[in-house]
């Protein structure tokens, strides 16, 4: 199929973009790697595409001790190879490496992927797991929206009207912490049947103080699960990571589809949780 007819605009300022987005049926175009397939299948039929690629100041990655700010025009590939961003928050590079194929990463944007709000998207889970937020430009000025208030359903966010997401903020990894990310797909680059991103934090005695996980292709929106009770107070060598996997299986409620049954996804949650927590804990111990 081909897209339904639509108008096209390429503003050169944020104010101009917001004016265009005030019109009925206007939609933002950044990388287009999520949007264009929807247009081609006529699952979306915007009246106007507002191409933001000529707006200055949206293509930067800002790294500080607090975390990483990613502009709306930063491509996946640029974030993947940003060494300072990976140092401050390692989940960014680890998850981005799993996004689709190189051709998609070369054009697709990290913030666009988050705004697309696909529950099978890697970067939505990372924003949730790190406790991040987004900045939304509105005619009344910028607003900060926490991840938990941003995602409201599959392919649906709380941003409506003349507004657009201009950046995403990922807090820095805490001290004595480690991360890991892994997913299972039918073919490399396909949508994940299941994926897990985790963080483990150790206390000053090198015992597990926190273990948290977020999953992809499991729920309707990103969810973060606290698995600390299964391994709290144990050293890395003592911790029973399979117990954390068993706990994780009881906390998720996946749906089945033509790619995998609900039971298979629940099984993968347990397996991936055990694997990734063990790796993250080893990393935490070495930091």
């Amino acid at each position: 199929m081909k897209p339904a007819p639509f108008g096209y605009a390429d503003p050169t300022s944020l104010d101009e973009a917001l004016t265009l987005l005030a019109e009925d049926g206007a939609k933002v175009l950044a990388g287009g790697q999520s949007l264009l397939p929807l247009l081609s299948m006529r699952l979306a039929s915007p009246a106007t595409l507002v191409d933001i690629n000529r707006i200055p100041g949206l293509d930067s990655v800002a790294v500080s001790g607090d975390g990483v700010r990613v502009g709306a025009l930063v491509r996946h590939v640029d974030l993947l190879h940003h060494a300072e961003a990976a140092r401050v928050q390692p989940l960014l590079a680890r998850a981005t490496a799993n996004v689709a194929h190189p051709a998609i990463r070369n054009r697709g944007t990290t913030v666009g992927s988050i705004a697309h709000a696909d529950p099978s998207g890697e970067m939505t889970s990372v924003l949730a797991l790190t406790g991040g937020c987004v900045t939304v430009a509105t005619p009344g000025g910028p607003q900060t929206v926490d991840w938990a208030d941003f995602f409201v359903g599959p392919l649906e966010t709380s941003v409506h009207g003349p507004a657009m997401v201009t950046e995403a903020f990922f807090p820095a990894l805490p001290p004595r912490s480690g991360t890991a990310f892994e997913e299972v797909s039918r073919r490399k680059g396909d949508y994940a049947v299941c994926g897990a991103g985790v963080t483990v934090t150790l206390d000053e005695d090198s015992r597990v103080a926190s273990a948290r996980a977020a999953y992809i292709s499991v729920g309707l929106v990103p969810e973060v699960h606290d698995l600390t009770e299964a391994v709290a107070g144990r050293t890395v060598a003592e911790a029973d990571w399979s117990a954390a996997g068993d706990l994780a299986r009881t906390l998720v409620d996946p749906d089945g589809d033509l790619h995998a049954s609900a039971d298979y996804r629940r099984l993968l949650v347990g397996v991936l949780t055990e694997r990734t927590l063990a790796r993250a804990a080893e990393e935490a111990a070495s930091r």
Side-chain angles (χ1 to χ4, degrees), residues 7-282:
Y8 174 82
D10 57 342
T12 57
S13 71
L14 196 54
D15 287 342
E16 185 182 356
L18 293 176
T19 299
L20 291 164
L21 289 170
E23 300 174 5
D24 287 340
K27 194 166 183 64
V28 172
L29 171 68
Q33 301 306 293
S34 298
L35 177 60
L36 293 183
L38 293 182
L39 298 183
S40 295
M41 292 184 286
R42 299 209 175 187
L43 296 176
S45 300
T48 305
L49 291 185
V50 180
D51 186 340
I52 64 172
N53 280 276
R54 294 179 64 199
I55 300 176
L58 299 180
D59 59 352
S60 64
V61 178
V63 182
S64 68
D66 294 330
V68 181
R69 294 189 178 275
V70 180
L73 291 178
V74 174
R75 313 296 167 179
H76 292 301
V77 68
D78 296 325
L79 186 60
L80 174 62
H81 297 296
H82 200 292
E84 274 298 290
R87 182 185 62 81
V88 171
Q89 182 44 263
L91 274 170
L92 293 177
R94 288 173 175 164
T96 303
N98 286 275
V99 173
H101 303 278
I104 300 296
R105 294 195 293 270
N106 285 343
R107 185 62 187 170
T109 62
T110 297
V111 172
S113 175
I114 290 169
H116 186 54
D118 190 335
S120 65
E122 290 82 2
M123 304 316 295
T124 56
S125 68
V126 173
L127 188 74
L129 181 58
T130 59
C133 59
V134 298
T135 299
V136 180
T138 73
Q143 299 178 358
T144 299
V145 183
D146 185 76
W147 75 267
D149 298 320
F150 183 68
F151 301 110
V152 298
L155 308 185
E156 184 180 5
T157 73
S158 58
V159 176
H160 300 288
M164 62 173 279
V165 181
T166 56
E167 70 176 21
F169 175 69
F170 303 88
L173 184 67
R176 300 186 302 276
S177 298
T179 70
F181 191 97
E182 185 175 344
E183 63 182 44
V184 174
S185 58
R186 298 179 67 185
R187 295 173 300 182
K188 185 173 177 57
D190 283 0
Y191 284 110
V193 174
C194 180
V198 301
T199 60
V200 173
T201 300
L202 306 180
D203 63 20
E204 293 181 354
D205 296 322
S206 296
R207 297 181 180 275
V208 177
S210 172
R212 301 165 67 249
Y215 303 99
I216 63 176
S217 299
V218 170
L220 299 179
V221 295
E223 299 176 357
V224 178
H225 296 287
D226 191 341
L227 307 175
T228 308
E229 66 180 83
V231 289
R234 311 279 183 86
T235 65
V236 174
E238 295 170 344
D240 183 0
W241 304 113
S242 64
D246 291 341
L247 174 59
R249 281 197 291 268
T250 69
L251 299 176
V252 299
D253 185 23
D255 290 326
D257 55 30
L258 75 162
H259 301 297
S261 67
D263 287 342
Y264 182 52
R265 282 198 166 95
R266 190 174 288 106
L267 172 67
L268 288 176
V269 163
V271 172
L272 292 178
T273 298
E274 181 178 352
R275 288 180 186 172
T276 52
L277 284 179
R279 291 206 306 271
E282 291 287 349

